[in-house]
Amino acid sequence: MKTHDRQDRILVELRKRGSISLDELVEQMKMSPASIRRDLTKLQEQGLVRRTHGGATLIEPLLYEPFRYDSLFQTRAQHRPAEKRRIGAAAAELIEEHETIGFTAGTTTTQVARNIRNRRNLRVVTNAINIAMELCNCEGLQTFVTGGFVQWAGSFSLVGQAAIHFLNEIFLDKVFVSVCGIDVTRGITVIEPEESFTFRAMLQ
């Protein structure tokens, strides 16, 4: 297995679980401990993992200071965090190289976005200020922000005609949407009308 492929697999496991031991990685990947240690060292040098005694933990991206201390955002982010992390890891596996990917604002879509920080040759379109901030310095990603206005504190969600106009001018290969409800008859729903218009434009 190529070095880059091994490192990608290590990151996938860490994103699912948050931390993992060296012995578990050796058993799962059928590689020597020395090879896994070298991969963990390289991932640590990239700022993606932190080596621990006998294993490694995932490093969450540094948040722009207003996001870190925004209680509304943090409350939503801490609701079922393990489930959101697993959803993020699984959803990111659907993304292929050279695609243009859309992310709506939301704490679950944030987890999906965090799973592509080490990917290459992807274009990202988002109306989420925090997602744009977390991905803007990733070497393999080109990040576009819709524009618009933030309707309520803690949402970090750009909405309105500027966002809709931007989205009407582009094509997306895949879109990841964070919603408030899913219903067999009504489909997916959100609370704020302005956000629904913007999300609908991204889906279209």
Side-chain angles (χ1 to χ4, degrees):
M1 188 185 298
K2 293 181 179 178
T3 300
H4 183 77
D5 293 333
R6 286 201 315 269
Q7 293 175 8
D8 280 349
R9 282 189 59 186
I10 290 171
L11 287 172
V12 167
E13 290 304 317
L14 279 168
R15 286 164 181 154
K16 290 177 182 176
R17 303 165 60 175
S19 62
I20 195 167
S21 71
L22 178 65
D23 290 342
E24 289 172 315
L25 285 171
V26 169
E27 182 179 350
Q28 288 182 19
M29 300 179 64
K30 310 300 181 190
M31 302 296 296
S32 71
S35 295
I36 299 296
R37 287 192 190 96
R38 284 194 296 271
D39 291 332
L40 290 175
T41 298
K42 290 178 181 177
L43 290 170
Q44 182 171 259
E45 290 170 355
Q46 297 172 47
L48 296 172
V49 306
R50 181 180 293 109
R51 295 287 304 276
T52 61
H53 181 69
T57 60
L58 187 68
I59 294 180
E60 296 290 351
L62 294 175
L63 289 173
Y64 183 53
E65 288 302 298
F67 306 155
R68 185 187 300 277
Y69 298 109
D70 189 288
S71 60
L72 291 173
F73 181 81
Q74 292 302 329
T75 297
R76 298 199 321 278
Q78 291 306 312
H79 180 67
R80 298 187 181 277
E83 289 87 344
K84 290 178 180 179
R85 187 166 56 243
R86 288 197 297 270
I87 290 170
E93 291 298 302
L94 303 173
I95 298 172
E96 300 178 14
E97 193 173 6
H98 301 296
E99 287 187 324
T100 300
I101 307 301
F103 291 112
T104 69
T107 54
T108 305
T109 48
T110 295
Q111 286 295 335
V112 184
R114 287 174 176 174
N115 278 277
I116 65 169
R117 289 184 298 146
N118 67 308
R119 302 282 289 276
R120 292 159 300 284
N121 300 316
L122 292 175
R123 289 168 298 281
V124 173
V125 177
T126 185
N127 76 316
I129 299 170
N130 67 303
I131 290 176
M133 288 292 296
E134 291 190 18
L135 298 184
C136 67
N137 64 343
C138 297
E139 186 176 347
L141 308 178
Q142 188 175 19
T143 304
F144 300 86
V145 188
T146 63
F149 67 94
V150 178
Q151 189 171 29
W152 55 278
S155 70
F156 307 129
S157 180
L158 293 167
V159 298
Q161 286 303 311
I164 292 169
H165 177 74
F166 180 95
L167 292 166
N168 286 340
E169 297 297 317
I170 61 172
F171 293 95
L172 303 170
D173 295 298
K174 292 186 177 79
V175 176
F176 296 86
V177 185
S178 204
V179 300
C180 300
I182 302 175
D183 183 85
V184 173
T185 305
R186 298 179 179 88
I188 59 176
T189 58
V190 294
I191 295 171
E192 299 290 341
E194 286 284 356
E195 199 162 57
S196 73
F197 300 145
T198 305
F199 285 17
R200 186 180 294 130
M202 189 175 289
L203 288 169
Q204 288 173 345

